[in-house]
Amino acid sequence: MFRRTFWFTAGAAAGVWATTKVNRKIRQLTPESLAAQAADKAIEAGHRLKDFALDVREGMVRREAELGGALGLQAPVDPELPAVSPVAVEAAETRRAATYRTLPYNSDNRNEDH
């Protein structure tokens, strides 16, 4: 009698366990669940990509500082050299930009394509 009760209970428990597993798997394979999983993976990949870009940028800044120190780009300015004011640099850039045509260039020449 106890043997039958034991096996009946074990069978019922196994059936409940199997049914629960199958229903859980079916819910995971619905289109809504698959879309949510794909969105989560895309967000995670975006975070990884952002972390990678920040690491690259940090390394780039560190390497530029090393190169600047090695080449003396951050060395103090020689007092014998004439100082260049930012206004003079802006004026030179403005003159240089004015000598070139800027796009879109509107011409009255209708034979441009030929």
Side-chain angles (χ1 to χ4, degrees), residues 2 9 11 16-18 25 38 45 53 57-59 68 72 74 80 83 91 97:
F2 288 111
T9 306
V16 168
W17 176 80
K25 188 55 84 172
R57 185 174 300 243
E58 179 185 341
Q74 297 172 348
E80 295 178 7

Side-chain angles (χ1 to χ4, degrees), residues 100-108 112:
Y100 298 106
R101 293 190 302 193
T102 59
L103 295 177
Y105 175 69
N106 295 328
S107 170
D108 292 330
E112 291 175 338

Side-chain angles (χ1 to χ4, degrees), residues 35-56:
Q37 289 175 8
D40 291 342
K41 295 286 184 181
I43 289 171
E44 183 180 336
H47 288 306
R48 286 184 190 165
L49 187 62
K50 181 182 175 186
D51 291 342
F52 174 73
L54 291 175
D55 289 344
V56 168

Side-chain angles (χ1 to χ4, degrees), residues 65 67-79 81:
L67 290 174
L71 296 174
L73 297 176
Q74 297 172 348
V77 178
D78 188 5
L81 294 175

Side-chain angles (χ1 to χ4, degrees), residues 85-103:
S85 68
V87 175
V89 172
E90 288 178 12
E93 288 176 357
T94 304
R95 269 186 267 119
R96 188 178 324 126
T99 60
Y100 298 106
R101 293 190 302 193
T102 59
L103 295 177

